[in-house]
Amino acid sequence: MKSKIVPALLLLMSLALSLQAQQQPDSKAKAEGPMSLEECLEYAFVNSENIKNAKLDIQIARADVGVTKSQGLPQIDASVTYTNNFAVPTVYLPAEASGMFSGNGNGGQTPSDEEVAIRFGIKHQSNATVNASQMIFDGSYFVGLKAAKVYSDLTQKDYLLTKSNIAEQVSKAYYTALVNQERSIDLRNNYSRLDTLLRETTLMFENGFAEKIDVDRIKVQYNNAKAQYNKAKRMAEVSMFMLKFQMGMPINAPLELSESLSAIEGEWEVNGKDEFEYGNRLEFAKLQVNKELVQLDIRNNKVQYIPKITATANFGYNNGADDLRRLTDLSRWNELGSWGLNMSIPIFDGLRKHNLIQKNKLQLQQLEHSTSQLKNNIDLEIVQAEVDLESSLETLEVQRENLELAEEVFRVTKIKYQEGVGSNIEVTEAQYALEQAETNYYSALYDALIAKVELKKALGILIQDQESN
């Protein structure tokens, strides 16, 4: 018997079982008592690895803002150098200039048409300086600072989008687990009913009030019901594995669900349809942030035409001697220092900035087209989700009525059979009809629950109540 209650769930069974073998229980992850959907969402928002990574992205973006800010603060560094000129360089000068260097050359006896080789330098040199620079004006800095903050906002949107995706996955997994659990309970009841009917029919056969074919007919249904119950029980277990996986909970950790389908069935109204804004959809909000980033990129390329001004300063001491020990004589150290301004004036860069600006404008047009398309997609998603939910609720109401009728038919048919005024075939047919009605009802209920989640997702309100967490 095929059902849509757990689509694609069996394909994920191997994944869940492998995760069960890999993960070990974590004491801090154990749930205390049965958990509602809201409690499962709160748990997932804390423990999901995707959520953790999204939070780390926010912190990384904040650190990037700090890095950008630091570029506008004074840059100070110190340096100490020592140089050993083991081979002092020689400089060749005209002979007439040799008299300027006492003790060099041949005492002024060198012919005027020859050069004089002079050792220019000393063996040991050392410097100790402090250098500082301060940006006075750089248009790119201020644009970059704004862009870093906008990028930080983008990571916040990414975090909320991740949170919304987790809410969708956990909600669907919770409803799947809840439907499968209650479905397995109903199949167990069917199995129990057939077990009782089989024992009663067997007793009637032994006393001559029923035929062997009656026993065999019920036995077939009994075996099928047992197989269906075992299958449903395993699917319910896998559903719980998948719910834990989506929550970021260890697969072996205990988890119970506190809600019931009967309570959820009365909560089909989705609030927020009248107050919908495109900005509620995080995909739309991210697109707006991307547009702002491109606009800032245009500004950044434009300010590249403006000169940049930087102030610099350095101060220190230096010393030099042929004897290394004389470097330690503080009286020989001499001051050195300077300060200055540097203005960098852009003149021509081969039209690089011009082409970058044109590229940014084209990117902005692309984002405008994407925004228009996204609006249409959102409108379509909302309409489809509303239609799906309405259709699912209509189907659910029909299947609920069919289930009630099937239960009543089975009850009356069984009484008639027990009183000897009904046939065994009627009982087995009524039992089969009841099983089909239950399957159809749970399938319709599952479809309605998923349609509700899809509508809330389309409206961008899946995490509206949990954003403060």
Side-chain angles (χ1 to χ4, degrees):
M1 187 182 301
K2 296 183 179 180
S3 171
K4 296 188 295 180
I5 295 177
V6 283
L9 194 54
L10 292 178
L11 295 178
L12 297 172
M13 183 181 294
S14 59
L15 171 62
L17 293 178
S18 64
L19 289 171
Q20 179 186 18
Q22 294 173 8
Q23 298 194 29
Q24 299 298 324
D26 187 349
S27 58
K28 70 177 181 180
K30 291 182 179 179
E32 296 182 0
M35 299 178 69
S36 64
L37 174 58
E38 183 177 353
E39 290 169 335
C40 288
L41 290 174
E42 291 174 355
Y43 183 99
F45 294 155
V46 174
N47 294 277
S48 169
E49 299 299 333
N50 290 334
I51 290 287
K52 292 178 182 179
N53 283 335
K55 289 181 178 178
L56 290 175
D57 285 337
I58 293 176
Q59 296 178 23
I60 292 172
R62 290 173 180 169
D64 286 338
V65 172
V67 171
T68 304
K69 285 182 177 179
S70 67
Q71 297 173 7
L73 300 177
Q75 310 294 307
I76 303 173
D77 64 85
S79 64
V80 177
T81 63
Y82 164 74
T83 303
N84 186 319
N85 297 306
F86 62 88
V88 177
T90 300
V91 178
Y92 288 88
L93 297 176
E96 58 268 21
S98 63
M100 298 174 59
F101 301 91
S102 178
N104 291 322
N106 295 318
Q109 302 302 316
T110 304
S112 60
D113 60 344
E114 294 185 12
E115 294 81 19
V116 179
I118 302 174
R119 191 187 71 163
F120 204 80
I122 54 179
K123 185 175 182 180
H124 303 286
Q125 289 181 304
S126 184
N127 292 275
T129 60
V130 176
N131 305 290
S133 65
Q134 171 62 55
M135 180 188 67
I136 295 178
F137 178 81
D138 186 345
S140 296
Y141 169 74
F142 301 103
V143 176
L145 188 60
K146 175 65 175 176
K149 293 179 180 179
V150 173
Y151 176 72
S152 180
D153 185 45
L154 181 62
T155 59
Q156 180 69 28
K157 295 291 190 295
D158 283 330
Y159 164 71
L160 293 176
L161 183 57
T162 301
K163 196 174 179 181
S164 178
N165 291 335
I166 292 296
E168 177 190 2
Q169 294 163 2
V170 171
S171 297
K172 290 181 177 180
Y174 189 93
Y175 291 140
T176 298
L178 195 60
V179 168
N180 282 338
Q181 280 189 356
E182 298 210 14
R183 174 60 178 149
S184 66
I185 293 174
D186 275 0
L187 286 173
R188 183 185 62 192
N189 293 336
N190 288 340
Y191 168 64
S192 299
R193 283 196 298 266
L194 285 170
D195 181 61
T196 301
L197 183 60
L198 178 61
R199 285 187 281 105
E200 291 176 350
T201 305
T202 301
L203 183 61
M204 293 172 64
F205 168 69
E206 292 173 351
N207 290 294
F209 295 103
E211 298 181 5
K212 181 66 167 58
I213 193 174
D214 295 332
V215 177
D216 293 341
R217 187 179 291 114
I218 296 177
K219 180 67 173 179
V220 170
Q221 276 199 289
Y222 169 82
N223 291 337
N224 290 335
K226 183 178 180 180
Q228 290 174 9
Y229 167 63
N230 290 333
K231 178 181 177 181
K233 185 169 63 173
R234 287 190 292 269
M235 292 177 70
E237 293 174 354
V238 173
S239 299
M240 292 298 292
F241 288 153
M242 292 306 302
L243 174 58
K244 294 175 188 178
F245 173 74
Q246 300 293 356
M247 291 170 57
M249 175 181 285
I251 301 300
N252 291 330
L255 176 62
E256 296 181 29
L257 310 184
S258 65
E259 297 187 51
S260 64
L261 291 177
S262 58
I264 294 176
E265 279 196 76
E267 302 175 354
W268 296 117
E269 183 65 26
V270 176
N271 298 320
K273 289 184 288 185
D274 297 334
E275 297 82 16
F276 172 74
E277 296 179 358
Y278 290 110
N280 294 342
R281 287 290 296 269
L282 294 167
E283 300 92 331
F284 186 86
K286 281 187 60 179
L287 204 56
Q288 303 312 300
V289 175
N290 283 325
K291 288 169 62 176
E292 188 174 357
L293 285 172
V294 173
Q295 290 168 343
L296 287 171
D297 207 9
I298 293 176
R299 287 178 54 189
N300 180 57
N301 288 319
K302 286 182 176 179
V303 298
Q304 298 292 324
Y305 290 104
I306 303 175
K308 301 176 183 178
I309 303 175
T310 305
T312 61
N314 68 80
F315 178 79
Y317 294 85
N318 68 349
N319 189 5
D322 285 324
D323 186 350
L324 180 61
R325 290 175 296 180
R326 299 179 70 181
L327 289 181
T328 61
D329 185 357
L330 297 180
S331 64
R332 291 179 53 83
W333 286 79
N334 301 300
E335 292 183 357
L336 59 89
S338 66
W339 69 271
L341 294 174
N342 177 62
M343 177 182 290
S344 174
I345 304 174
I347 297 178
F348 183 69
D349 63 354
L351 300 178
R352 180 177 181 274
K353 290 186 287 292
H354 170 77
N355 288 316
L356 285 175
I357 292 173
Q358 297 308 309
K359 175 185 175 182
N360 294 148
K361 290 181 178 179
L362 294 174
Q363 290 173 332
L364 199 57
Q365 290 181 30
Q366 284 184 324
L367 289 173
E368 292 290 350
H369 297 158
S370 298
T371 299
S372 177
Q373 183 179 17
L374 181 58
K375 285 183 177 181
N376 289 333
N377 290 341
I378 291 174
D379 292 339
L380 179 60
E381 287 178 11
I382 292 175
V383 171
Q384 287 181 328
E386 288 177 335
V387 170
D388 288 345
L389 179 58
E390 184 178 356
S391 299
S392 298
L393 292 177
E394 291 176 354
T395 303
L396 177 61
E397 186 61 31
V398 171
Q399 297 303 332
R400 181 187 292 109
E401 183 179 355
N402 288 343
L403 177 58
E404 293 172 354
L405 292 172
E407 289 173 342
E408 178 63 16
V409 168
F410 177 78
R411 186 187 69 81
V412 173
T413 303
K414 184 179 178 182
I415 292 175
K416 289 174 60 179
Y417 175 68
Q418 290 172 336
E419 293 179 352
V421 293
S423 68
N424 175 271
I425 295 178
E426 291 177 336
V427 174
T428 55
E429 288 178 348
Q431 173 65 29
Y432 179 76
L434 176 58
E435 292 175 1
Q436 286 292 105
E438 289 174 343
T439 297
N440 294 337
Y441 167 74
Y442 281 110
S443 178
L445 178 57
Y446 175 82
D447 290 342
L449 291 170
I450 298 304
K452 180 181 177 181
V453 173
E454 292 293 342
L455 178 55
K456 295 179 72 174
K457 176 187 175 183
L459 294 171
I461 58 175
L462 260 179
I463 58 172
Q464 197 174 61
D465 300 330
Q466 291 85 19
E467 284 186 354
S468 59
N469 295 336

